[in-house]
Amino acid sequence: MSWQTYVDDHLMCEIENGHHLSSAAILGLDGSVWAQSSAFPTFKPEEITAIMKDFDEPGSLAPTGLHLGGAKYMVIQGEPGAVVRGKKGTGGVTVKKTGQALIFGIYDEPVTPGQCNMVVERLGDYLVDQGM
């Protein structure tokens, strides 16, 4: 299965009542894009570097916020070393780290934080189980 299929079929899938994540992507740990939805923001390499640092040093993003494509998200609870979550207005972002990749899901209402977390983390857990 191609990485784009994972994004299209597993991250951008219908969640409930026809709703979907706003955008999603799978990036290598080096910040290279493996696959992304058409609306995924253009990000700066330093934004990915800061996210990676938070996985190694949980809490490092809290003072400055999580930035992605120039948008600033307030960091909310995650799982140290595994999941970083951010909130911005009525939307937010979930980032799941696997052995080789970062899985991103960005959402806006009516999609809830819990729904985004479930979609992103389910795919991330599957990839971890596959040795990815």
Side-chain angles (χ1 to χ4, degrees), residues 19-30:
H19 302 299
H20 303 82
L21 296 179
S22 303
S23 62
I26 301 173
L27 276 61
L29 297 181
D30 61 357

Side-chain angles (χ1 to χ4, degrees), residues 34-109:
W34 292 5
Q36 65 184 20
S37 63
S38 59
F40 193 75
T42 303
F43 57 85
K44 300 179 183 126
E46 58 267 24
E47 293 173 332
I48 303 305
T49 302
I51 292 168
M52 286 299 299
K53 180 180 177 188
D54 194 78
F55 285 115
D56 294 332
E57 302 170 27
S60 66
L61 281 177
T64 59
L66 183 159
H67 292 80
L68 188 63
K72 180 180 178 181
Y73 296 86
M74 179 179 67
V75 177
I76 55 178
Q77 100 294 343
E79 296 171 30
V83 180
V84 175
R85 298 182 182 112
K87 182 93 173 112
K88 177 180 180 246
T90 60
V93 62
T94 301
V95 185
K96 167 79 175 178
K97 182 181 180 216
T98 72
Q100 299 178 28
L102 297 174
I103 316 297
F104 286 82
I106 299 174
Y107 67 93
D108 280 301
E109 282 188 336

